[in-house]
Amino acid sequence: MDAKSFKLLLLGGAVRLYFSRTPLASLIGDRVEFATPLNSYKRMQEGVFLLEHDIDPYSGDLVHESPLVLKGLSWIFLNYASYLPLLYILLDLLTAGLLWIMSHWFVKHKLQEQRLERKHYANDTEELQYHNEDNYDIPELVLMAYLFNPLTIMSCIGLTSTVFSNIFLALFFFALVKGYLLPCLILLAFESVRSFYPIVLISPLLLVFARRSYWRGFCIGLLFAAACIAIMAANYLVMNSWNFLDGTLGFIFYFRDLQPNIGLFWYFFTEMFEHFRAMFLITFQLNATVLYLVPLSIKLRKEPLLLATVLVALMSVFRAYPSLGDVGFYLALMPMWKRCWKYMAHGFVVFAFFLISLSMMGALWHLWIYAGSANANFYFGATLAFCTGQIFLITDLLFAQVKRQFCLYNGQKIMIDGEEARIILE
């Protein structure tokens, strides 16, 4: 890491440290946009206390963190609670550093790949190609997008366990780019057992390591299943009970807590008749996992890292208990696709969606819960607009990548009957 990036890292840490010592930290820890039943600091604190007093944390409906995470954090929670903000800040900085290294290796790989394919590129595509300066510019943009995004900063100072999810995902992306199969499998298995939805990232993992070998892919699938079983067994050894499965994965799949958040589940399951619950539950969970997996994997089979980025983004939109910290993570990955930005047509629309919906959430929550002059429809309208903005961003990125790939080989100016044609995807 160069001196400038290291200074940015220190500045990002200083910003987090400053805000962690203000009243904003406790306020963010109570906001439903950041703290969900899965990642709330208070719930994790309760889980650690119960575990240390030999009480099953999963016998009630309050704690939903993995037993291994609770056990691993119990010592610092019980003995050095005042230093917890420093731990979260250090982990967040480590996540930023891993993303910097990962994006640097990504650009290096793209340049090598480009040298082999450049002879097939059209003449007017220089601005669409990766250049040597991208080795510095793109990692720096990724670093800044993570360190100084208000969503990641507030998620960190609110002591949400999204910080742990982000570092596990950053480690997974790093191992994926470097080609480390075993760390990839272990990290993905751990995060899948912990929060269910990352299991879809098995697809980019197979695209990187299977290399069109069905037998190799089958073996990797068996190793992944074995890693999941081993992690479940380790959780069992901590608890001496299988209750944690229902308290973690079961809680996520069956969506038992209707606390409002920035997602789409809570409003529908609050309003629907109970006899429709099973049908909608299966539909929503399929939408959040396998519905887009196969078509995206086929289309992006040559771009596994883009596939992983899109899947993480879709998880952040459609999962049962999303938080703004999840959104902040995938937004930090967007600068890696800097060469697609020329064809991203909805930048202003997405920015307007994000700015207005995020600004309205706090006001509409106050009107609904405290002032009593609004209802759930108002708040859900803001969260629905925010999810719509995210979908616009994801589809815009996918369309831009398709247009870039087409123009690299066919040129940016397509002439038909002597006139320049427009490329329109429908």
Side-chain angles (χ1 to χ4, degrees), residues 28-29 31 34-36 39-41 44 88 154-165 194 323 325:
I28 294 300
R31 290 296 309 179
F34 291 95
T36 70
N39 70 359
S40 169
Y41 167 72
M44 182 180 288
Y88 280 74
M154 288 190 279
S155 182
C156 178
I157 67 172
L159 303 183
T160 65
S161 61
T162 302
V163 171
F164 301 110
S165 297
R194 180 172 171 263
S323 75

Side-chain angles (χ1 to χ4, degrees), residues 197 200 264-265 280-293 311 314-315 317-319 391:
Y197 296 102
V200 298
L264 302 172
F265 274 65
F280 276 96
L281 190 64
I282 293 171
T283 303
F284 273 59
Q285 295 293 9
L286 285 174
N287 184 63
T289 52
V290 299
L291 185 63
Y292 309 103
L293 186 60
L311 290 175
L314 290 172
M315 279 192 286
V317 179
F318 295 119
R319 67 196 306 165
I391 295 299

Side-chain angles (χ1 to χ4, degrees), residues 172 175-176 178-188 202 205-206 208-211 216 219-221 223-224:
F172 172 79
L176 192 68
K178 293 285 284 183
Y180 300 149
L181 175 58
L182 191 58
C184 262
L185 285 172
I186 294 172
L187 289 163
L188 182 58
I202 189 65
L205 187 149
L206 290 173
V208 170
F209 294 105
R211 298 185 183 91
R216 185 179 175 87
C219 292
I220 291 173
L223 285 173
F224 175 71

